[in-house]
Structures are given as C-alpha cells and as structure tokens.
Amino acid sequence: QVQLVESGGGLVKPGGSLRLSCEASGLSFSDSYMSWIRQAPGKGLEYISDISSTSRSIYYADSVQGRFTISRDNAKKSLSLQMNSLRAEDTAVYYCATLHSSAVEHWGQGTLVTVSS
Amino acid sequence: QSALTQPASVSGSPGQSITISCTGTSSDVGGHNLVSWYQHHPGKAPKVMIFEVTKRPSGVSDRFSGSKSGNAASLTISGLQAEDEADYYCCSFRSPNILVFGGGTKVTVL
C-alpha cells in the first residue's frame, strides 16, 4: 500500500521560507516521477512542480518559478520542496504525489501552509 | 498559466447520467491524450478516476467514463449515486512540460 506523508507545513510571514518534506513507502520510490500540487482555501487544484526519478528533469509552474525548489533523496525515499519569498497567495494545502503517464496516481493527505503576518 | 475550463457545478438525480466538460487548447487537451480526472471529497486526498483520456484505474467503477473531442474532454458518470457527490477536476499535460488542472466542478446529487 502506497503511503505519502507530508510534513513541514505551518504559519510563516510574507517573505519567509519553509521546507516541506514527503516520506514515501510502499512503492519503488527511485523509479517514481514525483510532484507537488496545492489547493488554496476555496480554490481548485494547482500543479506546482515535478521531478523525474533521477532528478534529471525538473519543471515548475510560472507562479513559483524562481522561488520554489523541488528535490529528492532516493536513498531516503523522500521528496522536498524548499519555498522562499513566500506570499499570501501561497497559502494552501500542499500535496505530495506520484505521477504516471502525466496523471497523479497517488496523493498524500496534504500539509497546510499559511502565509500571514 | 491559465487553467482548463470546467462548469462550476453539475447536478443530477440518483440513477441519472451527468457529463462534466473540460475545455483547453491545442497545447494541452487537444494536443495530447494525457487527460485525467479526479474525484475530491473535502478533507480527503483526491482520487484518480480516469487517466489517458479513457482509462480507468483498477478499482474505479465502470460508471465513470472519459472521452475527448478536439480541445475538449468529458467525464460521464452513469447511474449517479449519492456517494458520487464531490468536486471533480480535469487535468492535462500542457506543452512543453507541465500539468494544468481545471477549475473544478461541484457535483450535486439531488
């Protein structure tokens, strides 16, 4: 059974930084394409970033390009998202997810990030 | 990066069929057979219902089906049941290298 467990969410001031982590189990993590997806309060789902199994290919949505950095450690079966220069509009539940054929196959339960002064 | 276009809400009575549309462009929905659909009950993780336009993951009811024509994709739910009441999102690969979601559709079972 695939489990993705996010951590690291919380309250941060505008302009601040936060690092999210995702621990994976029940899957061949080193073979998995991974992604971060978020949902702002009362809004829809939004793709943030994805990373290939070897970290060779990394992509970002325009809304976070230059501020967020995705990374992975296959030995630890973990995915990270470093978020800098945070804005109020980054307030959302952040989901860790696996991708297969450009579809989200497995989702974590999400971690809430609140950007507010 | 603009989202795919979905109706805000769709409703139907138990047993009826409903269809949710998802309109994009030739850079996403129309250009690739990489459209997926997700069911999202508030407070829970979303669940993939359809991938690659028409394929159902193991365990998903055959009451759910997907299709595509040009720049528009659709999700049809047949034999509507109370448990189908949820938010539904379409998603597509968008050239050259990202994913894009629709704005979401709230399905209400009357």
Side-chain angles (χ1 to χ4, degrees):
Chain A
Q1 179 184 354
V2 175
Q3 277 201 307
L4 302 171
V5 180
E6 303 93 338
S7 61
L11 175 63
V12 61
K13 289 182 168 53
S17 298
L18 209 57
R19 186 177 182 86
L20 304 184
S21 297
C22 171
E23 303 300 319
S25 60
L27 77 165
S28 179
F29 184 79
S30 60
D31 293 326
S32 299
Y33 222 107
M34 302 298 295
S35 179
W36 288 98
I37 295 161
R38 69 184 180 186
Q39 184 175 33
K43 303 289 187 180
L45 299 171
E46 181 188 12
Y47 161 89
I48 294 300
S49 178
D50 67 72
I51 183 169
S52 65
S53 57
T54 62
S55 303
R56 172 175 284 187
S57 298
I58 290 175
Y59 304 109
Y60 299 97
D62 287 348
S63 57
V64 305
Q65 180 77 49
R67 300 188 299 124
F68 289 12
T69 302
I70 191 172
S71 61
R72 65 190 295 160
D73 185 331
N74 286 344
K76 295 182 178 179
K77 296 187 178 182
S78 69
L79 177 73
S80 297
L81 185 69
Q82 177 66 42
M83 304 186 295
N84 298 330
S85 303
L86 283 162
R87 307 166 180 166
E89 54 265 35
D90 295 319
T91 294
V93 173
Y94 284 73
Y95 294 100
C96 167
T98 65
L99 295 182
H100 177 70
S101 194
S102 293
V104 182
E105 190 171 19
H106 303 289
W107 301 73
Q109 287 300 310
T111 186
L112 176 62
V113 172
T114 303
V115 184
S116 174
S117 54
Chain B
Q1 289 153 339
S2 55
L4 306 176
T5 301
Q6 295 181 234
S9 63
V10 173
S11 62
S13 299
Q16 287 186 328
S17 294
I18 61 170
T19 297
I20 304 168
S21 61
C22 171
T23 304
T25 69
S26 57
S27 295
D28 40 64
V29 175
H32 311 277
N33 287 323
L34 294 173
V35 176
S36 52
W37 290 89
Y38 304 88
Q39 177 189 67
H40 191 197
H41 288 106
K44 298 183 68 175
K47 174 185 176 183
V48 59
M49 306 304 283
I50 296 288
F51 67 101
E52 292 180 1
V53 180
T54 62
K55 298 178 180 179
R56 268 190 314 275
S58 173
V60 172
S61 171
D62 60 5
R63 297 187 297 106
F64 292 85
S65 61
S67 63
K68 191 186 87 166
S69 177
N71 293 339
S74 297
L75 173 72
T76 297
I77 308 175
S78 305
L80 199 61
Q81 298 179 2
E83 69 222 42
D84 300 332
E85 188 161 292
D87 296 322
Y88 290 82
Y89 294 89
C90 63
C91 178
S92 174
F93 176 84
R94 173 178 283 175
S95 298
N97 52 29
I98 65 168
L99 296 180
V100 59
F101 284 91
T105 298
K106 183 177 181 60
V107 168
T108 301
V109 181
L110 301 172

